[in-house]
Amino acid sequence: MYCVKLTLQPTAAMTFRILPGSILNIATYAFVPPTTFSGYLRRLGMMSAGLDIPETLINKDNPPIYALPSQYLALGAYPADSAWRGVHRTYRKGMREFNHDSFSRLYQDEDKANFQLHTWEYFITEELVGYIVADSPQGLEHFQDLEAYGCKLGKEGFAVVSDVSDILELCQETIAAYPSTITPMEAFLQSNQFVGGCDVYNLYRYNWTAKAQAQTDRDGFLDAQPSAVDGFVPFVAAYFSRDIGQPPTLNYYTDRDNIHIPVSLVNLLRDKIHA
């Protein structure tokens, strides 16, 4: 397994909205989810190739999805070990009804304001570390061209890629270590491990079509073609945001230093297991 590690510098507070259920209370993940990270890097790839990034459309128009090709697995981005991180909750105005289909428009219904207060969470951190893995090093060099590029990240936020590692070769080992990324809860259930103290989230992965398997290393990355994705599949994952005193024993892809990527996460994102 081969890996590229990207360092991201956020420029402000960010919101990665937790769905479903996060409507009046807009809650955020405390990391960049894999699908959000994939879409972010795809847009940086388009920018590096001199292309315009796609405009955002509302969901009722069935907008196309722009993600990295399926052979490059975006595993998300997480606060660097040395970086401060926190979630700030505040209030902001939002629509009272959710059947409107316009962006950022607070309208007046006669003399009655048609908006209300929402609670809104912002994720704040100084630095993020993201991971891309692939079976082959071929094509991973494209990510090194993304250094110094930046764009919108998540529902609220902007980040710049400040550093890209060389292509790293990882080996597979079963060891006790804190995962560098999220871990599918299925991995703990199958190994009969009870892990208390971690955070648990509902997340989504891409549902790739058969067309995605036939793409080259440039198809759907450094061009303007929509991704071969047919919706999303939910899964549940654990995130270790702090030392809980007993790291889990898992099967990892590792550099035997500070990268520990659960094999179960790679398999899940490739649809090799169900969660």
Side-chain angles (χ1 to χ4, degrees), residues 190-209:
Q190 291 183 355
S191 61
N192 294 317
Q193 290 189 76
F194 176 77
V195 182
C198 63
D199 303 317
V200 178
Y201 293 96
N202 292 315
L203 288 132
Y204 298 84
R205 64 171 176 80
Y206 292 122
N207 184 30
W208 295 101
T209 68

Side-chain angles (χ1 to χ4, degrees), residues 43 54-67 103 206 226-227 229-232:
R43 283 159 175 77
E55 295 289 337
T56 302
L57 301 175
I58 56 177
N59 288 336
K60 79 169 190 176
D61 294 331
N62 192 25
I65 295 172
Y66 292 88
F103 286 112
Y206 292 122
S227 300
V229 171
D230 183 18
F232 298 86

Side-chain angles (χ1 to χ4, degrees), residues 205-239:
R205 64 171 176 80
Y206 292 122
N207 184 30
W208 295 101
T209 68
K211 180 182 176 182
Q213 308 305 319
Q215 291 180 310
T216 70
D217 63 316
R218 291 184 66 91
D219 291 342
F221 183 14
L222 306 176
D223 58 26
Q225 295 300 313
S227 300
V229 171
D230 183 18
F232 298 86
V233 179
F235 66 96
V236 181
Y239 175 54

Side-chain angles (χ1 to χ4, degrees), residues 2-10 32 37-38 40-42 44-45 48 68 72-81 126-134 139-150 153 159-168 180-181 221 259 261:
Y2 295 86
C3 174
V4 172
K5 187 168 70 172
L6 298 95
T7 303
L8 274 58
Q9 195 75 51
V32 186
F37 191 46
S38 180
Y40 168 78
L41 293 176
R42 174 70 193 283
L44 296 190
S48 72
L68 291 178
Y72 308 124
L73 287 181
L75 305 180
Y78 306 84
D81 290 340
E126 299 165 329
E127 187 175 272
L128 294 160
V129 178
Y131 302 90
I132 303 294
V133 297
L140 284 175
E141 66 274 10
H142 295 321
F143 292 93
Q144 291 165 337
D145 297 332
L146 304 187
E147 187 170 325
Y149 280 90
L153 179 61
V160 176
V161 177
S162 58
D163 186 68
V164 183
S165 75
D166 294 332
I167 299 173
L168 308 169
S180 302
T181 64
F221 183 14
I259 298 178
I261 295 170

